[in-house]
Amino acid sequence: MKLTAIVALAVVAFAVTLVAARGVPSTVTYIPHDKVNATMAKGGQIIGDHGLIVLAQRRGAGEVEVHEKTNHVFIIVEGEATFVTGGTLVDARETAPGQRRAPSVKGGEVHHLSKGDVITIPAKTPHWFKEVPTQTIAYYAVNTEP
């Protein structure tokens, strides 16, 4: 009976360790709106905690990106864009370990993003703000990494 309890405790300890390493915050984090607004104006990180990263971004059209380990949730708060997910990278290059970029993709699924939309992008999925007719699109990016 005691061996079963020890094994159960070990399994629970392993599960807690595994969850803590996968994008689960370790503390309560409060960021006041003035700091969030200032970060949104220039773009940057709001939260970085155990594989959970929250960014406030303002950007225009750009290159296709692929992240080997980063999963995204984009929450659009201003502007609109033609956003492409999937497809095959054209003339890809590695820009950092586990990060590739390309000027375009062949194929992929086209989404029209605007204020209030939410889209998820799993790791290893090409994604691209292809066109931004409003010049910039503002969004929160909630990123998790294993």
Side-chain angles (χ1 to χ4, degrees):
M1 192 69 145
K2 290 182 182 183
L3 181 59
T4 304
I6 291 170
V7 170
L9 185 58
V11 168
V12 169
F14 176 76
V16 168
T17 301
L18 187 61
V19 168
R22 292 192 175 182
V24 177
S26 61
T27 63
V28 172
T29 303
Y30 167 75
I31 296 90
H33 67 276
D34 54 341
K35 182 176 179 182
V36 172
N37 290 339
T39 304
M40 179 63 80
K42 63 181 181 345
Q45 183 171 300
I46 299 172
I47 297 171
D49 187 6
H50 286 85
L52 172 67
I53 299 167
V54 179
L55 305 171
Q57 296 288 348
R58 179 176 292 278
R59 65 185 289 180
E63 292 190 300
V64 182
E65 299 180 12
V66 177
H67 314 288
E68 288 299 310
K69 295 182 179 180
T70 303
N71 302 288
H72 297 299
V73 178
F74 289 170
I75 304 161
I76 311 303
V77 296
E78 181 183 308
E80 58 184 79
T82 300
F83 188 72
V84 180
T85 57
T88 303
L89 298 174
V90 175
D91 297 327
R93 67 194 187 287
E94 188 170 335
T95 56
Q99 310 270 338
R100 290 179 291 148
R101 292 192 182 209
S104 65
V105 293
K106 286 184 184 175
E109 185 175 352
V110 176
H111 311 271
H112 179 79
L113 301 182
S114 60
K115 182 178 180 176
D117 289 344
V118 175
I119 189 166
T120 63
I121 304 101
K124 301 180 183 176
T125 302
H127 52 286
W128 180 24
F129 284 98
K130 181 178 181 181
E131 298 167 347
V132 182
T134 53
Q135 303 305 312
T136 64
I137 184 160
Y139 61 98
Y140 294 106
V142 180
N143 301 337
T144 59
E145 296 183 358

